[in-house]
Amino acid sequence: QVQLVESGGGLVQAGGSLRLSCAASGDTLSSYGMGWFRQAPGKEREFVAAILWSGTYYGDSVKGRFTMSRDNAKSTVYLQMYSLKPEDTAVYYCAARLGSSNNYDVPGWYAYWGQGTQVTVSS
């Protein structure tokens, strides 16, 4: 029932910064655990970050560089990315889930997905 729309992607140089946004509609954002995933051509979807009731989690490849946050009043979640690398190039997806805090890094546990936004990092 919830709809998700990502924005903020684009082309940046290595070492630069970018902030992605995910706007939710159709339901109350606070009811959901939220996640960010990314997918490069020919590769499987990779876990980036998640905010669940148990806490905030990050994939090993982005720890120390990315920060996820949420603003329930604005029905929006964010992914602030610093020190971007060419290997960060991918389509970034926002996702939402109901239920437990388990398996936060598994795409199949998220029921709702946005269409994705492209992030390209040049060297």
Side-chain angles (χ1 to χ4, degrees), residues 47-71:
F47 170 71
V48 175
I51 295 180
L52 286 302
W53 303 269
S54 56
T56 305
Y57 307 90
Y58 297 95
D60 291 339
S61 63
V62 305
K63 287 180 180 177
R65 299 189 298 119
F66 291 8
T67 300
M68 184 178 180
S69 61
R70 66 189 297 165
D71 187 336

Side-chain angles (χ1 to χ4, degrees), residues 1-2 27-34 52-53 96-102 109-112:
Q1 192 172 54
V2 66
D27 207 347
T28 303
L29 183 65
S30 61
S31 299
Y32 297 85
M34 303 297 297
L52 286 302
W53 303 269
R97 62 183 288 181
L98 296 171
S100 75
S101 298
N102 296 331
W109 283 88
Y110 291 81
Y112 308 98

